[in-house]
Amino acid sequence: MASSPAVLRASRLYQWSLKSSAQFLGSPQLRQVGQIIRVPARMAATLILEPAGRCCWDEPVRIAVRGLAPEQPVTLRASLRDEKGALFQAHARYRADTLGELDLERAPALGGSFVGLEPMGLLWALEPEKPLVRLVKRDVRTPLAVELEVLDGHDPDPGRLLCRVRHERYFLPPGVRREPVRVGRVRGTLFLPPEPGPFPGIVDMFGTGGGLLEYRASLLAGKGFAVMALAYYNYEDLPKTMETLHLEYFEEAVNYLLSHPEVKGPGVGLLGISKGGELCLSMASFLKGITAAVVINGSVANVGGTLRYKGETLPPVGVNRNRIKVTKDGYADIVDVLNSPLEGPDQKSFIPVERAESTFLFLVGQDDHNWKSEFYANEACKRLQAHGRRKPQIICYPETGHYIEPPYFPLCRASLHALVGSPIIWGGEPRAHAMAQVDAWKQLQTFFHKHLGGHEGTIPAKL
């Protein structure tokens, strides 16, 4: 590490800045002689995290480096391997301040995976080494480990490794209880907060990938909710396809949650993304006991298979594969593939949201390339208001794609679509998408606390 002696005069301003930065950075041992402070000519660089060691995935971590030479150029690199061993990486170039210190809350990135003042950029800018890989956490009982490194110099050829630290980010908040659910036909996992209940109850569902994803439910349980991650196909003894879904299954899940001794009524909330968001609309429209529903980039039409409930049938909206576009990278853009549910026989696939008695929050990525989420949210709003129902809240996020995840998940640009059978693009610009995820996470918590009981109030949308 290049280093040179520095002689700094101790003015009032300098003494104040030294004291304030020392609270977090822990300034190196400096020796004062009269009015002169002598800085050791050579110090070992140290990576400092706050909180140190580990924290919950949806919480920010403060990253800083001390022991650098004044204004030393360095490259910070983050790497993570998912449960299947796939590598994700991000890097950014920085310059230490005149004290040889670097705090990512104050220092802008000069280039790399992102630029500007982005304290959490090394996480949200992670990109897979191999294309078409989406970061997904399957087992919430184990953390994901992020390795952070500081390298001397800047790209394209940063120098030697100065220091590194391992940072664990967990998905099961301290004290949160995880209970597998195998009751009747219902297959899922219930997460309960550590404190005594009862708690507001929420059913959480994902999209066409099928199976059971628990990470959003486990994180949300740490915020004071009883959350059941619900599988509905391609899991254990459930149907292998979505060709026909029966709402009686979802009704059984709602009734299970409502009857749980640690869940307070009189109704429950629904949270779903993509096909899961569409199912939230259907459940709220046909079933009793639904008080509030958050729909993340969902459809107002039934998609992908037939939906049945007590003699009523919603056919799937029609598709026209000739409307698939191909990007310059060779991926499919399917945003125009579905027929409009406002025209011809496809009107039969429009979910009868006017029957719903619940309150709705639509979270919309305006650059969603899976389907026309903003159009669907607005059409649901029109239908509800035309029938005298409460106007839903719609929050639109510019330059935001389809997969709006909990905070700090990196943007998935493209991956395999289970129904299309080929890779498709999901939309979104990394920084804007990351900002949307942070805000959307706060918005849905506020919405559920307000309408399911708990903390009142709303958070103004930041975008």
Side-chain angles (χ1 to χ4, degrees):
M1 175 179 70
S3 179
S4 61
V7 179
L8 303 172
R9 297 199 176 275
S11 65
R12 280 186 177 181
L13 178 62
Y14 172 69
Q15 290 171 340
W16 174 86
S17 66
L18 182 64
K19 180 180 178 182
S20 62
S21 64
Q23 292 176 355
F24 171 58
L25 292 162
S27 292
Q29 297 298 314
L30 304 181
R31 188 163 59 90
Q32 184 167 350
V33 183
Q35 294 297 311
I36 303 289
I37 290 182
R38 298 192 182 278
V39 183
R42 193 172 186 84
M43 296 175 294
T46 306
L47 249 173
I48 304 164
L49 304 182
E50 186 182 290
R54 65 199 310 260
C55 70
C56 206
W57 180 273
D58 63 335
E59 296 173 358
V61 61
R62 191 171 179 185
I63 303 171
V65 187
R66 72 174 184 183
L68 300 170
E71 300 186 352
Q72 180 179 350
V74 292
T75 298
L76 268 63
R77 186 165 62 194
S79 60
L80 173 155
R81 287 193 182 275
D82 70 8
E83 292 157 318
K84 295 182 178 180
L87 178 65
F88 293 75
Q89 290 181 309
H91 74 282
R93 298 186 286 272
Y94 290 94
R95 190 174 297 278
D97 64 15
T98 56
L99 302 179
E101 297 172 347
L102 177 64
D103 181 352
L104 269 57
E105 287 194 350
R106 301 198 307 260
L110 306 176
S113 301
F114 55 93
V115 295
L117 193 64
E118 299 293 341
M120 290 296 288
L122 289 169
L123 266 81
W124 62 249
L126 287 166
E127 291 192 12
E129 181 183 38
K130 297 179 180 179
L132 306 178
V133 179
R134 175 184 165 211
L135 181 61
V136 177
K137 191 69 177 82
R138 299 282 177 186
D139 185 355
V140 299
R141 295 167 293 185
T142 60
L144 285 176
V146 181
E147 188 170 86
L148 296 164
E149 299 176 319
V150 181
L151 302 158
D152 188 22
H154 284 168
D155 289 338
D157 187 24
R160 67 186 180 90
L161 177 68
L162 301 178
C163 56
R164 72 157 59 97
V165 68
R166 176 186 168 94
H167 172 57
E168 289 189 344
R169 300 183 68 80
Y170 54 82
F171 292 82
L172 196 61
V176 168
R177 295 162 285 165
R178 177 182 179 273
E179 299 180 357
V181 178
R182 305 291 183 274
V183 178
R185 293 176 296 176
V186 180
R187 302 291 178 264
T189 307
L190 179 63
F191 294 90
L192 296 166
E195 60 271 11
F199 313 98
I202 298 171
V203 178
D204 181 26
M205 295 174 292
F206 278 83
T208 56
L212 179 63
L213 294 177
E214 301 179 354
Y215 60 87
R216 188 169 61 195
S218 63
L219 291 172
L220 199 52
K223 313 300 181 184
F225 302 98
V227 191
M228 182 170 65
L230 182 66
Y232 55 91
Y233 94 101
N234 197 26
Y235 181 74
E236 295 188 352
D237 56 351
L238 295 177
K240 299 301 180 186
T241 71
M242 295 191 306
E243 183 178 349
T244 302
L245 293 177
H246 297 271
L247 271 181
E248 284 85 354
Y249 170 78
F250 300 90
E251 186 173 43
E252 194 174 332
V254 168
N255 290 337
Y256 164 79
L257 197 58
L258 278 171
S259 65
H260 195 284
E262 294 199 63
V263 174
K264 68 176 182 181
V268 299
L270 304 177
L271 171 60
I273 185 170
S274 193
K275 176 68 180 180
E278 170 213 307
L279 285 167
C280 286
L281 279 178
S282 294
M283 292 168 70
S285 300
F286 287 99
L287 307 181
K288 301 296 183 183
I290 311 298
T291 300
V294 175
V295 178
I296 306 174
N297 284 333
S299 167
V300 78
N302 182 48
V303 178
T306 301
L307 186 70
R308 299 187 187 279
Y309 181 66
K310 293 184 176 178
E312 292 192 68
T313 300
L314 283 185
V317 68
V319 299
N320 184 344
R321 296 181 70 93
N322 292 327
R323 291 195 290 258
I324 295 178
K325 293 174 284 191
V326 179
T327 69
K328 61 182 180 181
D329 299 318
Y331 303 140
D333 182 348
I334 64 169
V335 69
D336 295 319
V337 166
L338 296 180
N339 292 345
S340 170
L342 305 181
E343 301 170 3
D346 290 295
Q347 295 176 77
K348 295 179 180 178
S349 67
F350 200 109
I351 298 165
V353 293
E354 66 275 6
R355 301 186 191 180
E357 297 178 354
S358 66
T359 305
F360 290 103
L361 168 61
F362 290 87
L363 298 173
V364 173
Q366 290 183 306
D367 192 36
D368 185 354
H369 279 256
N370 180 68
W371 52 31
K372 299 178 180 180
S373 296
E374 186 176 9
F375 167 75
Y376 294 145
N378 287 327
E379 288 305 318
C381 181
K382 291 177 185 176
R383 177 74 70 94
L384 286 163
Q385 288 186 280
H387 288 80
R389 297 300 188 183
R390 186 183 306 182
K391 182 180 180 180
Q393 184 181 4
I394 301 176
I395 301 176
C396 294
Y397 296 103
E399 297 182 285
T400 299
H402 186 65
Y403 278 121
I404 298 178
E405 299 268 37
Y408 315 123
F409 270 89
L411 171 69
C412 178
R413 299 175 186 272
S415 66
L416 183 69
H417 192 293
L419 293 185
V420 179
S422 61
I424 75 159
I425 60 168
W426 300 106
E429 184 278 323
R431 181 180 179 276
H433 193 93
M435 291 174 60
Q437 290 185 156
V438 172
D439 189 69
W441 191 236
K442 294 176 182 176
Q443 295 288 349
L444 68 87
Q445 291 175 50
T446 299
F447 177 81
F448 281 134
H449 276 304
K450 179 179 179 181
H451 296 289
L452 297 179
H455 304 297
E456 294 290 335
T458 58
I459 299 171
K462 293 180 181 178
L463 303 177

